[in-house]
């Protein structure tokens, strides 16, 4: 491996320069990705380990990022659970039948997830042989997965999800339990295949009040994080709009908390406690369409807020948008590395 | 006036019981409102002072809330600015031509707003004669209004708004200046007509990073708040997803900060400083479809977090949803009043 500074940063060990990667770094903003997507759907790619590995590698080659992330979508787990769905362009996962009954919840089979998704492990094994940086495995968080299953499609308000959570707490618990089992077993399979770290994308958890998070989501998340960490890999937990939940996220046992751009990095890090957590973020992805001097100034401010403290992983506050300027991403990697490099070496720098 | 405890709470004066009102308290969840909407559009209602006053009064009569809020929509200001638009059901304001050029910005006429919207002052004058609680005037915040004008329609990501803000800062400043003038003059007209307080609905401001808020929104907001407060009425500033911006909102000079449900009330209040600000919120509107015992428990927790400190105004964290249970709102008013009332009287209680 060229360097494992990403994994060291996850563990708050000295890691210079600051590791950089980007959520959705394999995506439509890359011409080489669009060339593949011209002939294959996203789910086709995921099902073909050779192509999936190639797409995962594209941004690593072009950008020089310090970690690869398995190319996938959180809805792939629905296939493992036996839930019919499709991925709609510019919309997201739409399930055939919204899951709102006990019979539907009981029909979910978390114990079959790993065997139903063999192509994921195969892709990871291919990648581990090719990569000279760590590979991040990933899955959606139980709340976020539940919201797609219950709403049936992407939602802004999570009306049906909250209705079920508030009004049928037994069914909610049964669903979240099964999703916890499914995510744990999916992430375990990814780690066994060679992933060096995992990220839980609980993208929509910030829709919850702190009280709802405490009562109906946090206990399951704590078990999930504990189970994955027991395999010896660091866990990154990420959601958007979590500025009001940071004290709670600090209680999940994750190694790194990923934050969006709606909160200052230094404040977020104080709230999750720098002695216990690394932090990942937090440039507004909208800046990837802005003039470079502004992008550079905002990235620099993030690096200065991190102040060289171990545990900072530079990233965006959410995924790379389809119309991002790829040269901005290339320059961000170069600049963050230059600002945080240690020319003299400290025994840890690559 | 039956009581002005809402205005006293805005000023952090003793006000018992805790005042209660609900954003979008006049709306589709009320059968009497649906009866009016069966024959008139929202904009028709706004243009007819007698009907608009009646709709504004409906929730005051049914719920016993401590404040009325002018029935309107933030897009009404676009009519005052000479911008063509329509209100789409379940979507929101859609402008005829997205505003993205200097010529379009120069064509906006903030100085004509008050005279182009005479029906607003007329509605307020009718209401002031009828009401025995304070009337809250309102307008959108400059950023939120700008986002509708630039995107052309409601947006989740504010791609075009941020692109313009980041890439054409001169045009952004010109636009935000005109919106500041327009909002100030619209709110001044409402106060002159009899509004006892105003709320600035900057609903989408939480889409901004703290750095963007500081640089491109806050200076204009400070001027706007100062100009309206100079008329002698309190100003409530509200947006959703602002947990990471609270330190900044404390610098605007507003009397009360309204917060959504994504942050604990006590923490939000600490962050905006209880010696300088009242706080309004923060029950998740999704609870209005939940079983009553849960609603009651969550409302009680908010009242306990406020701990009887002057300056708490009980409200939701956003507007009442169309499928809310009206009886929940009636009971919330009754319960909050009962928990916070002062049977013995303290010279301030009504």
């Amino acid at each position: 491996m060229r360097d494992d500074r990403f994994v060291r940063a996850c563990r708050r060990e000295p890691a210079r320069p600051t590791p950089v990667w980007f959520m959705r770094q394999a995506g439509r903003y890359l011409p080489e990705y669009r060339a593949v997507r011209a002939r294959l759907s996203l789910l086709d790619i995921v099902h073909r380990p050779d192509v999936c590995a190639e797409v995962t590698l594209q941004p690593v080659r072009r950008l020089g990022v310090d970690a690869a992330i398995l190319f996938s979508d959180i809805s792939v787990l629905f296939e493992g659970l036996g839930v019919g769905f499709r991925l709609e362009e510019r919309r997201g996962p739409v399930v055939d039948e919204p899951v709102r009954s006990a019979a539907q919840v009981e029909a979910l089979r978390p114990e079959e997830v790993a065997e139903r998704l063999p192509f994921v492990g195969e892709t990871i094994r291919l990648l581990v042989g090719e990569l000279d940086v760590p590979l991040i495995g990933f899955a959606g968080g139980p709340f976020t997965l539940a919201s797609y299953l219950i709403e049936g499609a992407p939602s802004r308000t999570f009306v049906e999800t909250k209705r079920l959570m508030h009004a049928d707490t037994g069914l909610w618990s049964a669903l979240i339990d099964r999703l916890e089992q499914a995510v744990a077993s999916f992430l375990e399979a990814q780690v066994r295949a060679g992933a060096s770290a995992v990220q839980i994308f609980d993208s929509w958890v910030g829709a919850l009040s702190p009280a709802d998070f405490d009562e109906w989501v946090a206990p399951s998340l704590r078990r999930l994080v504990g189970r994955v960490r027991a395999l010896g890999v660091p866990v990154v937990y990420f959601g958007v709009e979590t500025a009001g939940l940071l004290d709670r996220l600090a209680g999940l046992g994750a190694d790194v908390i990923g934050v969006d751009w709606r909160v200052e990095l230094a404040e977020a890090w104080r709230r999750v406690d720098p002695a216990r957590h690394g932090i990942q973020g937090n440039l507004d992805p909208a800046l990837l369409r802005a003039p470079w001097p502004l992008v550079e100034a905002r990235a620099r401010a993030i690096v200065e807020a991190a102040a060289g403290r171990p545990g900072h992983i530079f990233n965006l506050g959410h995924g790379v948008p389809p119309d991002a300027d790829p040269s901005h991403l290339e320059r961000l990697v170069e600049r963050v590395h230059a600002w945080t490099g240690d020319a003299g070496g400290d025994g840890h720098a690559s």
Side-chain angles (χ1 to χ4, degrees), chain A residues 129-154:
Chain A
E130 292 275 328
L131 280 166
D132 59 2
V133 292
L135 177 70
I136 306 170
F138 92 85
F143 172 79
T144 298
L145 292 167
S147 79
Y148 285 113
L149 291 178
I150 296 168
E151 304 287 337

Side-chain angles (χ1 to χ4, degrees), chain A residues 47 78-83 107 109 112-119:
Chain A
H47 282 84
F78 298 155
E79 181 179 338
L81 284 164
V83 173
R109 291 271 167 268
E112 292 172 12
V113 159
E115 71 197 58
R116 279 180 189 241
L117 305 173
F119 45 88

Side-chain angles (χ1 to χ4, degrees), chain A residues 100 147 150-151 155-166:
Chain A
R100 298 180 191 173
S147 79
I150 296 168
E151 304 287 337
S155 168
R156 294 187 73 157
T157 51
F158 304 99
V159 168
E160 297 301 331
T161 307
K162 290 182 178 179
R163 193 197 304 267
L164 193 152
M165 185 171 79
H166 292 147

